[in-house]
Amino acid sequence: KTIMRRDANLIGRNVARLRYQRKLTQNMLVAKVEVLNFFGITRDVLSNIELQKYVATDKHVFFLAKALKVEIAELFRS
């Protein structure tokens, strides 16, 4: 198993924050992403992205931003 540095995932905390602000469960957010025809995310993957244990791909970033209705830059704000 590869150990990931926490700074390799910059969006995790913001995804979780935005999801909570929108009162979405992880399953609800995954469903919103799937409606956009991206099936490369599961609840477990989303959980690990939020916990900064998984590196989000460019596709994850793109579709999470769309599903959360924010600009991609919002996911990277510190």
Side-chain angles (χ1 to χ4, degrees):
K1 182 176 178 179
T2 303
I3 297 177
M4 187 190 89
R5 292 177 19 174
R6 287 223 184 255
D7 64 356
N9 174 331
L10 300 174
I11 71 163
R13 290 183 181 183
N14 286 330
V15 170
R17 176 182 55 80
L18 291 163
R19 182 176 60 76
Y20 283 119
Q21 286 175 350
R22 286 155 177 72
K23 298 178 176 28
L24 297 171
T25 66
Q26 289 177 332
N27 285 328
M28 291 166 73
L29 181 53
V30 167
K32 285 181 168 287
V33 170
E34 288 176 348
V35 166
L36 298 169
N37 288 319
F38 178 61
F39 300 95
I41 192 165
T42 63
R43 196 209 57 81
D44 287 337
V45 169
L46 176 59
S47 174
N48 284 317
I49 288 171
E50 289 183 354
L51 293 170
Q52 296 178 292
K53 293 181 179 179
Y54 186 91
V55 176
T57 67
D58 55 349
K59 285 187 176 184
H60 290 130
V61 172
F62 178 81
F63 284 101
L64 285 168
K66 279 187 86 76
L68 291 165
K69 297 183 178 172
V70 296
E71 296 291 327
I72 289 173
E74 179 68 21
L75 298 182
F76 291 94
R77 287 216 168 92
S78 51

PDB file of all heavy atoms in Angstrom, residues 28-57:
ATOM      1  N   MET A  28     -25.278  11.140  -1.233  1.00  0.00           N
ATOM      2  CA  MET A  28     -26.001  12.111  -2.050  1.00  0.00           C
ATOM      3  C   MET A  28     -25.060  12.802  -3.038  1.00  0.00           C
ATOM      4  O   MET A  28     -25.415  13.004  -4.201  1.00  0.00           O
ATOM      5  CB  MET A  28     -26.708  13.136  -1.166  1.00  0.00           C
ATOM      6  CG  MET A  28     -27.868  12.558  -0.371  1.00  0.00           C
ATOM      7  SD  MET A  28     -28.440  13.640   0.958  1.00  0.00           S
ATOM      8  CE  MET A  28     -29.286  14.914   0.043  1.00  0.00           C
ATOM      9  N   LEU A  29     -23.866  13.173  -2.579  1.00  0.00           N
ATOM     10  CA  LEU A  29     -22.909  13.828  -3.472  1.00  0.00           C
ATOM     11  C   LEU A  29     -22.444  12.868  -4.564  1.00  0.00           C
ATOM     12  O   LEU A  29     -22.344  13.248  -5.727  1.00  0.00           O
ATOM     13  CB  LEU A  29     -21.716  14.385  -2.689  1.00  0.00           C
ATOM     14  CG  LEU A  29     -20.663  15.118  -3.520  1.00  0.00           C
ATOM     15  CD1 LEU A  29     -21.269  16.221  -4.388  1.00  0.00           C
ATOM     16  CD2 LEU A  29     -19.581  15.686  -2.616  1.00  0.00           C
ATOM     17  N   VAL A  30     -22.197  11.624  -4.200  1.00  0.00           N
ATOM     18  CA  VAL A  30     -21.809  10.624  -5.200  1.00  0.00           C
ATOM     19  C   VAL A  30     -22.916  10.488  -6.248  1.00  0.00           C
ATOM     20  O   VAL A  30     -22.642  10.433  -7.454  1.00  0.00           O
ATOM     21  CB  VAL A  30     -21.497   9.262  -4.540  1.00  0.00           C
ATOM     22  CG1 VAL A  30     -21.402   8.151  -5.577  1.00  0.00           C
ATOM     23  CG2 VAL A  30     -20.208   9.350  -3.739  1.00  0.00           C
ATOM     24  N   ALA A  31     -24.167  10.478  -5.827  1.00  0.00           N
ATOM     25  CA  ALA A  31     -25.291  10.377  -6.763  1.00  0.00           C
ATOM     26  C   ALA A  31     -25.323  11.583  -7.707  1.00  0.00           C
ATOM     27  O   ALA A  31     -25.578  11.430  -8.910  1.00  0.00           O
ATOM     28  CB  ALA A  31     -26.608  10.247  -6.006  1.00  0.00           C
ATOM     29  N   LYS A  32     -25.044  12.780  -7.176  1.00  0.00           N
ATOM     30  CA  LYS A  32     -25.012  13.983  -8.020  1.00  0.00           C
ATOM     31  C   LYS A  32     -23.906  13.886  -9.066  1.00  0.00           C
ATOM     32  O   LYS A  32     -24.082  14.310 -10.207  1.00  0.00           O
ATOM     33  CB  LYS A  32     -24.815  15.242  -7.166  1.00  0.00           C
ATOM     34  CG  LYS A  32     -26.054  15.670  -6.407  1.00  0.00           C
ATOM     35  CD  LYS A  32     -25.749  16.934  -5.615  1.00  0.00           C
ATOM     36  CE  LYS A  32     -26.995  17.560  -5.071  1.00  0.00           C
ATOM     37  NZ  LYS A  32     -27.806  18.219  -6.090  1.00  0.00           N
ATOM     38  N   VAL A  33     -22.773  13.318  -8.683  1.00  0.00           N
ATOM     39  CA  VAL A  33     -21.669  13.136  -9.627  1.00  0.00           C
ATOM     40  C   VAL A  33     -22.064  12.106 -10.689  1.00  0.00           C
ATOM     41  O   VAL A  33     -21.806  12.305 -11.877  1.00  0.00           O
ATOM     42  CB  VAL A  33     -20.377  12.712  -8.886  1.00  0.00           C
ATOM     43  CG1 VAL A  33     -19.295  12.289  -9.871  1.00  0.00           C
ATOM     44  CG2 VAL A  33     -19.872  13.849  -8.003  1.00  0.00           C
ATOM     45  N   GLU A  34     -22.721  11.034 -10.278  1.00  0.00           N
ATOM     46  CA  GLU A  34     -23.141  10.000 -11.226  1.00  0.00           C
ATOM     47  C   GLU A  34     -24.147  10.540 -12.240  1.00  0.00           C
ATOM     48  O   GLU A  34     -24.125  10.150 -13.404  1.00  0.00           O
ATOM     49  CB  GLU A  34     -23.707   8.791 -10.487  1.00  0.00           C
ATOM     50  CG  GLU A  34     -22.628   7.999  -9.777  1.00  0.00           C
ATOM     51  CD  GLU A  34     -23.157   6.850  -8.953  1.00  0.00           C
ATOM     52  OE1 GLU A  34     -24.390   6.772  -8.724  1.00  0.00           O
ATOM     53  OE2 GLU A  34     -22.342   6.019  -8.530  1.00  0.00           O
ATOM     54  N   VAL A  35     -25.022  11.446 -11.816  1.00  0.00           N
ATOM     55  CA  VAL A  35     -25.985  12.066 -12.736  1.00  0.00           C
ATOM     56  C   VAL A  35     -25.252  12.813 -13.853  1.00  0.00           C
ATOM     57  O   VAL A  35     -25.759  12.940 -14.965  1.00  0.00           O
ATOM     58  CB  VAL A  35     -26.951  13.004 -11.964  1.00  0.00           C
ATOM     59  CG1 VAL A  35     -27.730  13.910 -12.886  1.00  0.00           C
ATOM     60  CG2 VAL A  35     -27.895  12.173 -11.104  1.00  0.00           C
ATOM     61  N   LEU A  36     -24.044  13.274 -13.559  1.00  0.00           N
ATOM     62  CA  LEU A  36     -23.220  13.981 -14.552  1.00  0.00           C
ATOM     63  C   LEU A  36     -22.462  12.999 -15.460  1.00  0.00           C
ATOM     64  O   LEU A  36     -21.607  13.397 -16.227  1.00  0.00           O
ATOM     65  CB  LEU A  36     -22.232  14.917 -13.845  1.00  0.00           C
ATOM     66  CG  LEU A  36     -22.863  16.022 -13.006  1.00  0.00           C
ATOM     67  CD1 LEU A  36     -21.807  16.720 -12.153  1.00  0.00           C
ATOM     68  CD2 LEU A  36     -23.587  17.020 -13.895  1.00  0.00           C
ATOM     69  N   ASN A  37     -22.795  11.718 -15.326  1.00  0.00           N
ATOM     70  CA  ASN A  37     -22.197  10.638 -16.127  1.00  0.00           C
ATOM     71  C   ASN A  37     -20.731  10.376 -15.819  1.00  0.00           C
ATOM     72  O   ASN A  37     -19.962  10.020 -16.705  1.00  0.00           O
ATOM     73  CB  ASN A  37     -22.397  10.871 -17.634  1.00  0.00           C
ATOM     74  CG  ASN A  37     -23.830  10.653 -18.039  1.00  0.00           C
ATOM     75  OD1 ASN A  37     -24.474   9.727 -17.570  1.00  0.00           O
ATOM     76  ND2 ASN A  37     -24.325  11.522 -18.889  1.00  0.00           N
ATOM     77  N   PHE A  38     -20.349  10.562 -14.564  1.00  0.00           N
ATOM     78  CA  PHE A  38     -19.006  10.159 -14.127  1.00  0.00           C
ATOM     79  C   PHE A  38     -19.189   9.113 -13.046  1.00  0.00           C
ATOM     80  O   PHE A  38     -19.779   9.381 -11.998  1.00  0.00           O
ATOM     81  CB  PHE A  38     -18.206  11.350 -13.596  1.00  0.00           C
ATOM     82  CG  PHE A  38     -16.833  10.955 -13.097  1.00  0.00           C
ATOM     83  CD1 PHE A  38     -15.910  10.378 -13.957  1.00  0.00           C
ATOM     84  CD2 PHE A  38     -16.468  11.163 -11.786  1.00  0.00           C
ATOM     85  CE1 PHE A  38     -14.643  10.011 -13.512  1.00  0.00           C
ATOM     86  CE2 PHE A  38     -15.202  10.811 -11.323  1.00  0.00           C
ATOM     87  CZ  PHE A  38     -14.300  10.232 -12.194  1.00  0.00           C
ATOM     88  N   PHE A  39     -18.714   7.917 -13.319  1.00  0.00           N
ATOM     89  CA  PHE A  39     -18.907   6.810 -12.389  1.00  0.00           C
ATOM     90  C   PHE A  39     -17.602   6.385 -11.728  1.00  0.00           C
ATOM     91  O   PHE A  39     -17.508   5.301 -11.176  1.00  0.00           O
ATOM     92  CB  PHE A  39     -19.573   5.633 -13.122  1.00  0.00           C
ATOM     93  CG  PHE A  39     -20.906   6.001 -13.686  1.00  0.00           C
ATOM     94  CD1 PHE A  39     -21.033   6.413 -15.002  1.00  0.00           C
ATOM     95  CD2 PHE A  39     -22.038   5.997 -12.883  1.00  0.00           C
ATOM     96  CE1 PHE A  39     -22.262   6.787 -15.518  1.00  0.00           C
ATOM     97  CE2 PHE A  39     -23.272   6.371 -13.384  1.00  0.00           C
ATOM     98  CZ  PHE A  39     -23.383   6.758 -14.709  1.00  0.00           C
ATOM     99  N   GLY A  40     -16.602   7.271 -11.746  1.00  0.00           N
ATOM    100  CA  GLY A  40     -15.296   6.969 -11.172  1.00  0.00           C
ATOM    101  C   GLY A  40     -15.177   7.354  -9.712  1.00  0.00           C
ATOM    102  O   GLY A  40     -14.078   7.539  -9.211  1.00  0.00           O
ATOM    103  N   ILE A  41     -16.313   7.464  -9.037  1.00  0.00           N
ATOM    104  CA  ILE A  41     -16.271   7.821  -7.617  1.00  0.00           C
ATOM    105  C   ILE A  41     -17.319   7.004  -6.871  1.00  0.00           C
ATOM    106  O   ILE A  41     -18.420   6.800  -7.355  1.00  0.00           O
ATOM    107  CB  ILE A  41     -16.472   9.340  -7.411  1.00  0.00           C
ATOM    108  CG1 ILE A  41     -16.128   9.746  -5.982  1.00  0.00           C
ATOM    109  CG2 ILE A  41     -17.853   9.785  -7.784  1.00  0.00           C
ATOM    110  CD1 ILE A  41     -15.941  11.234  -5.784  1.00  0.00           C
ATOM    111  N   THR A  42     -16.921   6.492  -5.724  1.00  0.00           N
ATOM    112  CA  THR A  42     -17.826   5.772  -4.833  1.00  0.00           C
ATOM    113  C   THR A  42     -17.847   6.512  -3.502  1.00  0.00           C
ATOM    114  O   THR A  42     -17.053   7.442  -3.286  1.00  0.00           O
ATOM    115  CB  THR A  42     -17.339   4.331  -4.595  1.00  0.00           C
ATOM    116  OG1 THR A  42     -16.060   4.395  -3.927  1.00  0.00           O
ATOM    117  CG2 THR A  42     -17.211   3.554  -5.904  1.00  0.00           C
ATOM    118  N   ARG A  43     -18.693   6.085  -2.597  1.00  0.00           N
ATOM    119  CA  ARG A  43     -18.723   6.724  -1.288  1.00  0.00           C
ATOM    120  C   ARG A  43     -17.380   6.537  -0.583  1.00  0.00           C
ATOM    121  O   ARG A  43     -16.871   7.447   0.068  1.00  0.00           O
ATOM    122  CB  ARG A  43     -19.874   6.174  -0.424  1.00  0.00           C
ATOM    123  CG  ARG A  43     -20.133   7.118   0.766  1.00  0.00           C
ATOM    124  CD  ARG A  43     -20.678   6.432   1.989  1.00  0.00           C
ATOM    125  NE  ARG A  43     -19.850   5.350   2.487  1.00  0.00           N
ATOM    126  CZ  ARG A  43     -18.765   5.508   3.257  1.00  0.00           C
ATOM    127  NH1 ARG A  43     -18.329   6.708   3.582  1.00  0.00           N
ATOM    128  NH2 ARG A  43     -18.090   4.469   3.687  1.00  0.00           N
ATOM    129  N   ASP A  44     -16.783   5.361  -0.734  1.00  0.00           N
ATOM    130  CA  ASP A  44     -15.478   5.118  -0.108  1.00  0.00           C
ATOM    131  C   ASP A  44     -14.392   6.020  -0.684  1.00  0.00           C
ATOM    132  O   ASP A  44     -13.562   6.549   0.058  1.00  0.00           O
ATOM    133  CB  ASP A  44     -15.061   3.653  -0.263  1.00  0.00           C
ATOM    134  CG  ASP A  44     -15.858   2.723   0.636  1.00  0.00           C
ATOM    135  OD1 ASP A  44     -16.402   3.187   1.658  1.00  0.00           O
ATOM    136  OD2 ASP A  44     -15.934   1.522   0.312  1.00  0.00           O
ATOM    137  N   VAL A  45     -14.401   6.203  -2.000  1.00  0.00           N
ATOM    138  CA  VAL A  45     -13.421   7.096  -2.631  1.00  0.00           C
ATOM    139  C   VAL A  45     -13.642   8.524  -2.141  1.00  0.00           C
ATOM    140  O   VAL A  45     -12.686   9.210  -1.769  1.00  0.00           O
ATOM    141  CB  VAL A  45     -13.501   7.014  -4.175  1.00  0.00           C
ATOM    142  CG1 VAL A  45     -12.691   8.128  -4.824  1.00  0.00           C
ATOM    143  CG2 VAL A  45     -13.024   5.652  -4.659  1.00  0.00           C
ATOM    144  N   LEU A  46     -14.899   8.973  -2.116  1.00  0.00           N
ATOM    145  CA  LEU A  46     -15.198  10.326  -1.639  1.00  0.00           C
ATOM    146  C   LEU A  46     -14.748  10.499  -0.194  1.00  0.00           C
ATOM    147  O   LEU A  46     -14.119  11.510   0.157  1.00  0.00           O
ATOM    148  CB  LEU A  46     -16.694  10.632  -1.769  1.00  0.00           C
ATOM    149  CG  LEU A  46     -17.139  11.985  -1.221  1.00  0.00           C
ATOM    150  CD1 LEU A  46     -16.419  13.133  -1.920  1.00  0.00           C
ATOM    151  CD2 LEU A  46     -18.643  12.132  -1.340  1.00  0.00           C
ATOM    152  N   SER A  47     -15.027   9.528   0.642  1.00  0.00           N
ATOM    153  CA  SER A  47     -14.607   9.593   2.043  1.00  0.00           C
ATOM    154  C   SER A  47     -13.096   9.743   2.147  1.00  0.00           C
ATOM    155  O   SER A  47     -12.591  10.574   2.907  1.00  0.00           O
ATOM    156  CB  SER A  47     -15.059   8.330   2.775  1.00  0.00           C
ATOM    157  OG  SER A  47     -14.559   8.316   4.085  1.00  0.00           O
ATOM    158  N   ASN A  48     -12.369   8.963   1.362  1.00  0.00           N
ATOM    159  CA  ASN A  48     -10.906   9.031   1.400  1.00  0.00           C
ATOM    160  C   ASN A  48     -10.366  10.323   0.806  1.00  0.00           C
ATOM    161  O   ASN A  48      -9.329  10.818   1.245  1.00  0.00           O
ATOM    162  CB  ASN A  48     -10.299   7.805   0.730  1.00  0.00           C
ATOM    163  CG  ASN A  48     -10.384   6.584   1.620  1.00  0.00           C
ATOM    164  OD1 ASN A  48     -10.129   6.664   2.821  1.00  0.00           O
ATOM    165  ND2 ASN A  48     -10.755   5.457   1.056  1.00  0.00           N
ATOM    166  N   ILE A  49     -11.065  10.894  -0.175  1.00  0.00           N
ATOM    167  CA  ILE A  49     -10.672  12.210  -0.679  1.00  0.00           C
ATOM    168  C   ILE A  49     -10.854  13.247   0.424  1.00  0.00           C
ATOM    169  O   ILE A  49      -9.965  14.058   0.689  1.00  0.00           O
ATOM    170  CB  ILE A  49     -11.480  12.591  -1.942  1.00  0.00           C
ATOM    171  CG1 ILE A  49     -11.027  11.758  -3.144  1.00  0.00           C
ATOM    172  CG2 ILE A  49     -11.325  14.096  -2.252  1.00  0.00           C
ATOM    173  CD1 ILE A  49     -11.901  11.912  -4.385  1.00  0.00           C
ATOM    174  N   GLU A  50     -12.016  13.221   1.094  1.00  0.00           N
ATOM    175  CA  GLU A  50     -12.289  14.187   2.162  1.00  0.00           C
ATOM    176  C   GLU A  50     -11.305  14.047   3.317  1.00  0.00           C
ATOM    177  O   GLU A  50     -10.933  15.039   3.940  1.00  0.00           O
ATOM    178  CB  GLU A  50     -13.719  14.027   2.663  1.00  0.00           C
ATOM    179  CG  GLU A  50     -14.758  14.502   1.667  1.00  0.00           C
ATOM    180  CD  GLU A  50     -16.176  14.406   2.190  1.00  0.00           C
ATOM    181  OE1 GLU A  50     -16.392  13.867   3.300  1.00  0.00           O
ATOM    182  OE2 GLU A  50     -17.087  14.874   1.479  1.00  0.00           O
ATOM    183  N   LEU A  51     -10.889  12.832   3.616  1.00  0.00           N
ATOM    184  CA  LEU A  51      -9.936  12.588   4.701  1.00  0.00           C
ATOM    185  C   LEU A  51      -8.489  12.767   4.262  1.00  0.00           C
ATOM    186  O   LEU A  51      -7.568  12.551   5.045  1.00  0.00           O
ATOM    187  CB  LEU A  51     -10.133  11.171   5.257  1.00  0.00           C
ATOM    188  CG  LEU A  51     -11.456  10.925   5.974  1.00  0.00           C
ATOM    189  CD1 LEU A  51     -11.627   9.433   6.265  1.00  0.00           C
ATOM    190  CD2 LEU A  51     -11.547  11.745   7.244  1.00  0.00           C
ATOM    191  N   GLN A  52      -8.296  13.164   3.017  1.00  0.00           N
ATOM    192  CA  GLN A  52      -6.975  13.387   2.421  1.00  0.00           C
ATOM    193  C   GLN A  52      -6.122  12.122   2.433  1.00  0.00           C
ATOM    194  O   GLN A  52      -4.906  12.170   2.570  1.00  0.00           O
ATOM    195  CB  GLN A  52      -6.262  14.537   3.121  1.00  0.00           C
ATOM    196  CG  GLN A  52      -6.984  15.865   2.936  1.00  0.00           C
ATOM    197  CD  GLN A  52      -6.312  16.990   3.665  1.00  0.00           C
ATOM    198  OE1 GLN A  52      -6.304  17.026   4.879  1.00  0.00           O
ATOM    199  NE2 GLN A  52      -5.735  17.896   2.895  1.00  0.00           N
ATOM    200  N   LYS A  53      -6.775  10.969   2.253  1.00  0.00           N
ATOM    201  CA  LYS A  53      -6.073   9.691   2.179  1.00  0.00           C
ATOM    202  C   LYS A  53      -5.964   9.201   0.744  1.00  0.00           C
ATOM    203  O   LYS A  53      -5.366   8.172   0.490  1.00  0.00           O
ATOM    204  CB  LYS A  53      -6.805   8.635   3.010  1.00  0.00           C
ATOM    205  CG  LYS A  53      -6.787   8.892   4.490  1.00  0.00           C
ATOM    206  CD  LYS A  53      -7.506   7.784   5.216  1.00  0.00           C
ATOM    207  CE  LYS A  53      -7.478   8.001   6.709  1.00  0.00           C
ATOM    208  NZ  LYS A  53      -8.195   6.922   7.410  1.00  0.00           N
ATOM    209  N   TYR A  54      -6.598   9.919  -0.184  1.00  0.00           N
ATOM    210  CA  TYR A  54      -6.657   9.512  -1.583  1.00  0.00           C
ATOM    211  C   TYR A  54      -6.411  10.738  -2.440  1.00  0.00           C
ATOM    212  O   TYR A  54      -6.945  11.807  -2.161  1.00  0.00           O
ATOM    213  CB  TYR A  54      -8.060   8.938  -1.859  1.00  0.00           C
ATOM    214  CG  TYR A  54      -8.260   8.342  -3.224  1.00  0.00           C
ATOM    215  CD1 TYR A  54      -8.012   6.995  -3.447  1.00  0.00           C
ATOM    216  CD2 TYR A  54      -8.722   9.116  -4.286  1.00  0.00           C
ATOM    217  CE1 TYR A  54      -8.215   6.430  -4.692  1.00  0.00           C
ATOM    218  CE2 TYR A  54      -8.920   8.557  -5.537  1.00  0.00           C
ATOM    219  CZ  TYR A  54      -8.667   7.209  -5.727  1.00  0.00           C
ATOM    220  OH  TYR A  54      -8.863   6.670  -6.975  1.00  0.00           O
ATOM    221  N   VAL A  55      -5.610  10.579  -3.458  1.00  0.00           N
ATOM    222  CA  VAL A  55      -5.338  11.700  -4.358  1.00  0.00           C
ATOM    223  C   VAL A  55      -6.494  11.830  -5.346  1.00  0.00           C
ATOM    224  O   VAL A  55      -6.847  10.873  -6.027  1.00  0.00           O
ATOM    225  CB  VAL A  55      -4.013  11.489  -5.123  1.00  0.00           C
ATOM    226  CG1 VAL A  55      -3.793  12.614  -6.117  1.00  0.00           C
ATOM    227  CG2 VAL A  55      -2.846  11.399  -4.153  1.00  0.00           C
ATOM    228  N   ALA A  56      -7.088  13.005  -5.394  1.00  0.00           N
ATOM    229  CA  ALA A  56      -8.175  13.271  -6.331  1.00  0.00           C
ATOM    230  C   ALA A  56      -7.601  13.487  -7.717  1.00  0.00           C
ATOM    231  O   ALA A  56      -6.663  14.260  -7.898  1.00  0.00           O
ATOM    232  CB  ALA A  56      -8.964  14.495  -5.879  1.00  0.00           C
ATOM    233  N   THR A  57      -8.166  12.807  -8.700  1.00  0.00           N
ATOM    234  CA  THR A  57      -7.720  12.990 -10.078  1.00  0.00           C
ATOM    235  C   THR A  57      -8.329  14.268 -10.642  1.00  0.00           C
ATOM    236  O   THR A  57      -9.223  14.870 -10.038  1.00  0.00           O
ATOM    237  CB  THR A  57      -8.162  11.807 -10.963  1.00  0.00           C
ATOM    238  OG1 THR A  57      -9.597  11.827 -11.070  1.00  0.00           O
ATOM    239  CG2 THR A  57      -7.683  10.478 -10.402  1.00  0.00           C
TER     240      THR A  57
END
